[in-house]
Amino acid sequence: MASALNRSLADLGALLHLVDPTLPIGGFNHSNGLETFVQQRIVENKATLENYLQTQLLQNWIYNDGAYLSLSFDAMESYNFDCLCELDRELSATKVARESREGSFKLGVRLLKIFIRYENHPVLTAYHQAITEKRVQGYFPIVFAMIAQAMGLTKADTLYAFYYNAAVGVITNGVKLIPLSQMDGQDILFGLRQPLQQAVELSLNPDLDWLGAATLANDIRAMQHEQLYTRLYMS
């Protein structure tokens, strides 16, 4: 009983560390197109921010970052380094907005730089070397999955933590940009509990026919972001 409890608490500690908002990777600098939506008055209140977030979760992330995380988790579990490299190249091709693409691999590289000091895993080491040699970029969902699997976390917990972390980022940025009250942000987050579970269920075994499905409105506004007259965020 004690050993099972200790293992459960160790896993919880590892998961909390992985999604800790104080990690020095710079995630708070990126809105991934949300800033454009706000400036264009498409996202302008609590209801539209909530709708934007649920659309991102269930029509974008589950086919893109979440799906690639799921596939990368499986590849890491089977020590399939070549598959991880191929997933890195495929994910690069799906990120058509330059700022979003660069933001993702910058976050991934910084995350790996932190955790490779703690996790002695041959695939992590090989992947880090591949980044150094510029054979892969090191996209955030792929690195997140690799680290979580190396820690011994489950795929379901990893996916939930990843989506939760992404959702909190959107809410934090939306509250600041629109602006909204902090309580509005908490209401949106509370309402995401069931959609987050749904997203995890849909991502455990991604449908490869939908992999990289485009969300054109978001892609366009992510590209428009670098031309905004004023900006708070890098993407």
Side-chain angles (χ1 to χ4, degrees):
M1 174 72 77
S3 61
L5 176 61
N6 289 341
R7 178 60 191 174
S8 176
L9 291 175
D11 287 349
L12 177 60
L15 193 60
L16 290 173
H17 191 188
L18 189 55
V19 295
D20 190 329
T22 66
L23 284 175
I25 63 174
F28 60 88
N29 287 320
H30 300 276
S31 81
N32 294 303
L34 174 59
E35 188 166 18
T36 311
F37 278 96
V38 172
Q39 288 204 21
Q40 293 178 354
R41 309 297 295 175
I42 297 170
V43 176
E44 59 180 354
N45 52 36
K46 180 181 177 181
T48 51
L49 179 61
E50 185 170 22
N51 181 64
Y52 168 85
L53 181 48
Q54 294 212 23
T55 300
Q56 290 294 96
L57 177 63
L58 296 173
Q59 297 184 33
N60 182 357
W61 298 345
I62 64 169
Y63 303 124
N64 290 283
D65 282 1
Y68 280 98
L69 183 151
S70 182
L71 296 171
S72 298
F73 192 98
D74 294 341
M76 183 69 172
E77 192 170 34
S78 61
Y79 286 70
N80 193 337
F81 174 72
D82 290 339
C83 180
L84 288 163
C85 293
E86 181 59 29
L87 289 169
D88 183 279
R89 289 187 285 269
E90 289 181 10
L91 183 53
S92 180
T94 69
K95 292 188 176 294
V96 297
R98 180 187 61 82
E99 290 182 344
S100 297
R101 184 169 62 253
E102 292 180 356
S104 182
F105 69 69
K106 287 177 181 177
L107 296 180
V109 170
R110 292 168 188 159
L111 189 70
L112 183 57
K113 184 178 180 180
I114 295 169
F115 283 94
I116 199 169
R117 299 178 303 147
Y118 311 130
E119 301 300 326
N120 183 20
H121 193 291
V123 180
L124 275 180
T125 301
Y127 193 77
H128 183 258
Q129 183 64 29
I131 292 173
T132 302
E133 296 172 354
K134 301 188 184 304
R135 291 184 285 125
V136 297
Q137 295 279 22
Y139 288 97
F140 183 65
I142 295 174
V143 172
F144 193 101
M146 294 175 68
I147 293 170
Q149 202 286 322
M151 289 176 167
L153 302 175
T154 68
K155 188 199 279 193
D157 286 350
T158 301
L159 281 163
Y160 192 98
F162 180 82
Y163 286 138
Y164 181 89
N165 185 59
V168 168
V170 170
I171 292 170
T172 301
N173 294 342
V175 165
K176 184 185 299 183
L177 286 165
I178 291 172
L180 299 174
S181 73
Q182 294 293 336
M183 292 303 291
D184 284 337
Q186 293 306 304
D187 289 344
I188 294 171
L189 185 59
F190 184 84
L192 277 177
R193 293 187 179 186
Q194 193 280 327
L196 285 169
Q197 293 179 22
Q198 182 182 357
V200 171
E201 293 169 1
L202 292 170
S203 304
L204 286 171
N205 295 290
D207 185 342
L208 298 184
D209 289 338
W210 284 87
L211 192 61
T215 48
L216 294 179
N218 191 75
D219 289 343
I220 290 169
R221 284 164 181 84
M223 288 185 283
Q224 290 172 336
H225 182 266
E226 61 182 299
Q227 303 297 326
L228 293 181
Y229 182 71
T230 60
R231 303 191 307 176
L232 292 178
Y233 294 94
M234 295 175 62
S235 67

